[in-house]
Amino acid sequence: MCGFRLGSVTSASIGRPAMMAPPAVWLLLPLGLLCLCSSTAASLSGGATAAEAAADYVVVATSWLKTKPVCQGLRVDAPANLTASSSWVPLSHSYGPCSAAAGSLSPAPADVLLQDQHRAAYIQRKLADGTPQDDNGSDLPESDCKSGQSEHAPTVSPNIGENSSPTSEGSEAVTLIEPAAGGSGAQRLPGVKQTMVLDTASDVAWVQCAPCPMPQCHPQTDTIYDPSQSSTYAPFACGSPVCRQLGPYGNGCAAGSRQCQYRVQYPDGRSTMGTYISDTLRLNPTSVIGGFQFGCSHAVQGHFPNDTAGIMALGRGAQSLASQTRLTYGGVFSYCLPRTASYSGFFVLGVPGVAASRYALTPMFAVPQAPMLYLVRLRAIVVAGQALAVPPAVFAPGAVVDSRTVITRLPPTAYGALRAAFRASMGMYRAAPPKQQLDTCYDFRGVRRVTLPRVTLVFDHSAAVELDPSGILYNDCLAFTPGSDDRAIGAIGNVQLQTYEVLYNVAGATMGFRRAAC
């Protein structure tokens, strides 16, 4: 059996000339992965050795990148050495067999890509003028994104509230959260389960609340949260420090009650508004966050992902989950999105129970015009063992790592070099027309196995992230697209980081990447 390189990029491998076509003999490995082999090293005399050439490519069964109809669960067990300052919960794609809306149809790739253009435009407007709220200035069409199924994002399902009437209908839900270690299965928790999208570019968490008359409510799978049924629910007065701290998210006072109101506007015209409150949040049976502050939404405009209840904000703002819990969990969180919706991933609030040596670490920074965002600096891209000839200045602006952006946006110069190298390595396949913003696509009809060049993103401090094959292709296209110009800040999409645990150490200004984590 030939060697299988696990992603460390050395100066020797970066400098070695890349093979522009893979060797001709393949050997099938488990899980659909194949290891590239050559029948003899002598056949490659004068260039890279057979082992080196094999290490530059990976072969996958085309079926391996497709979602299966039944949830396969977690591929990796929860760490057994979590401490009281860490909380681990399962995570899923916002659609598919492992999601809360398991019976719903998966989104059409064209809808996902269109929604992703909205998301990218939203991030760029934040970077341009620093306005947390969006003015709905996008000129992208909206109609195709109205299904509510066009998101490709991670979701979790915590429980909210304490039962004031244990026998009332819907006041208690069976959580789908497994104990982090040593547990015996799902448990009944107080409150109601609420499926929420993880959003690292938002500051205000919210869930849909009763009363919420139609059509102001969007359909959701979970039992709707009713604050009147929770003994630990509390609103905030309009003049309270918490209400004043909402800043641009504040929306005045409720008539008569003098209760603090909030409003969040999203890039494609979607919005939520209601009362800003606090209640108990349970991530799992042992992790209880008392007095968690969030928006209790009484009116929603537009459709949100696959019948989810709301958004779990993880930005740098004072209202986010990471900020509210920093004294307990240290301002650290991480998540792992699986390669397809057939599997579950995980979300960790606090320091993961994994050795630091298993992470590729890079500095994380913020920009003053959009302080809620998390940025890193890309330094190089390696394709099939060869570093692309991209001037370092091209990567200088940095890139946002965003949980809900799907496709990575590169500086045009870097993208052009990546596309040229990728196309040269994929010359044996039939080209297909572009799909939305993806311009390097292939026709794999009748192809059982696809040979891909390995692609590695190298971040500051030599943090090398070799992409999983599911992070190279999306809908049979190269899963990258160019940004507006080389001076613009880019974005790292969640497709590229599938199967990686992405660690945000906000207090330590560090981001980490752990491969094959889910």
Side-chain angles (χ1 to χ4, degrees):
M1 181 174 291
C2 63
F4 189 82
R5 187 168 60 184
L6 292 180
S8 59
V9 177
T10 66
S11 58
S13 65
I14 290 175
R16 188 178 67 247
M19 297 282 295
M20 300 321 293
V25 181
W26 325 111
L27 177 66
L28 185 64
L29 288 181
L31 297 176
L33 276 172
L34 294 101
C35 189
L36 224 58
C37 296
S38 173
S39 58
T40 171
S43 65
L44 294 173
S45 60
T49 67
E52 288 173 333
D56 290 337
Y57 290 85
V58 63
V59 183
V60 295
T62 52
S63 61
W64 185 72
L65 298 174
K66 307 299 182 183
T67 298
K68 297 177 177 62
V70 178
C71 180
Q72 307 295 304
L74 287 160
R75 296 180 64 246
V76 179
D77 292 334
N81 56 340
L82 289 172
T83 67
S85 59
S86 296
S87 180
W88 187 100
V89 296
L91 167 155
S92 70
H93 283 268
S94 53
Y95 60 86
C98 293
S99 71
S104 63
L105 297 175
S106 296
D111 286 345
V112 172
L113 292 172
L114 179 57
Q115 181 61 38
D116 190 48
Q117 291 186 66
H118 283 294
R119 182 67 176 184
Y122 174 51
I123 296 294
Q124 287 302 316
R125 284 196 294 276
K126 282 190 172 189
L127 291 166
D129 58 23
T131 304
Q133 297 282 46
D134 188 85
D135 61 2
N136 194 25
S138 173
D139 58 359
L140 295 170
E142 297 180 34
S143 59
D144 289 342
C145 291
K146 294 293 186 180
S147 69
Q149 296 184 344
S150 54
E151 290 260 13
H152 180 284
T155 62
V156 294
S157 298
N159 275 43
I160 296 179
E162 293 279 1
N163 304 332
S164 58
S165 176
T167 60
S168 63
E169 183 179 358
S171 65
E172 191 169 46
V174 177
T175 178
L176 300 181
I177 298 171
E178 298 291 338
S184 58
Q187 300 180 27
R188 296 183 69 87
L189 298 181
V192 290
K193 179 172 70 70
Q194 300 289 279
T195 301
M196 305 173 73
V197 179
L198 296 182
D199 190 346
T200 57
S202 291
D203 288 334
V204 177
W206 63 270
V207 297
Q208 194 163 249
C209 294
C212 190
M214 297 298 290
Q216 285 75 30
C217 283
H218 75 278
Q220 65 181 63
T221 302
D222 303 320
T223 301
I224 193 166
Y225 166 71
D226 185 348
S228 69
Q229 297 297 311
S230 174
S231 61
T232 51
Y233 145 76
F236 292 102
C238 290
S240 66
V242 168
C243 191
R244 291 196 301 269
Q245 196 176 43
L246 282 173
Y249 303 110
N251 197 33
C253 287
S257 68
R258 301 294 297 170
Q259 292 180 355
C260 181
Q261 302 294 292
Y262 83 98
R263 182 174 185 267
V264 178
Q265 180 83 31
Y266 292 96
D268 54 1
R270 298 183 294 180
S271 65
T272 169
M273 64 181 69
T275 307
Y276 199 64
I277 68 170
S278 71
D279 207 337
T280 301
L281 176 73
R282 281 180 169 80
L283 295 175
N284 61 39
T286 61
S287 298
V288 181
I289 301 167
F292 177 65
Q293 302 165 15
F294 61 98
C296 184
S297 178
H298 299 301
V300 173
Q301 179 180 347
H303 296 260
F304 287 84
N306 274 21
D307 305 332
T308 53
I311 301 294
M312 180 59 78
L314 292 169
R316 296 177 186 267
Q319 299 84 13
S320 77
L321 175 65
S323 297
Q324 289 190 48
T325 61
R326 65 185 180 276
L327 294 181
T328 301
Y329 295 105
V332 178
F333 66 90
S334 65
Y335 56 83
C336 185
L337 191 64
R339 64 170 56 97
T340 74
S342 304
Y343 294 95
S344 298
F346 61 84
F347 170 71
V348 178
L349 186 60
V351 178
V354 177
S357 60
R358 297 182 61 187
Y359 295 86
L361 301 174
T362 190
M364 184 170 66
F365 65 98
V367 290
Q369 67 269 32
M372 75 290 292
L373 301 178
Y374 301 99
L375 285 81
V376 295
R377 281 194 173 88
L378 194 61
R379 293 300 188 190
I381 302 175
V382 180
V383 179
Q386 184 178 38
L388 303 179
V390 179
V394 169
F395 296 120
V400 176
V401 180
D402 175 37
S403 61
R404 292 175 71 186
T405 293
V406 180
I407 302 298
T408 289
R409 269 75 179 170
L410 292 175
T413 296
Y415 176 73
L418 170 63
R419 178 177 61 185
F422 188 79
R423 286 178 174 177
S425 296
M426 297 286 287
M428 71 289 289
Y429 298 111
R430 296 185 299 271
K435 299 175 182 178
Q436 304 288 94
Q437 63 267 43
L438 305 182
D439 65 5
T440 300
C441 302
Y442 297 92
D443 181 355
F444 293 131
R445 287 177 298 179
V447 178
R448 295 179 59 191
R449 298 163 183 159
V450 178
T451 307
L452 298 174
R454 295 185 184 274
V455 178
T456 300
L457 305 181
V458 184
F459 296 96
D460 205 7
H461 287 200
S462 301
V465 176
E466 183 188 302
L467 304 185
D468 184 81
S470 66
I472 299 173
L473 291 178
Y474 180 80
N475 194 27
D476 298 338
C477 300
L478 177 63
F480 292 80
T481 193
S484 57
D485 62 65
D486 285 349
R487 296 168 297 177
I489 292 174
I492 306 298
N494 60 30
V495 162
Q496 275 63 51
L497 298 176
Q498 286 177 156
T499 75
Y500 270 86
E501 181 181 10
V502 185
L503 174 69
Y504 296 71
N505 183 349
V506 185
T510 302
M511 182 169 288
F513 306 95
R514 180 170 68 91
R515 65 173 295 123
C518 66

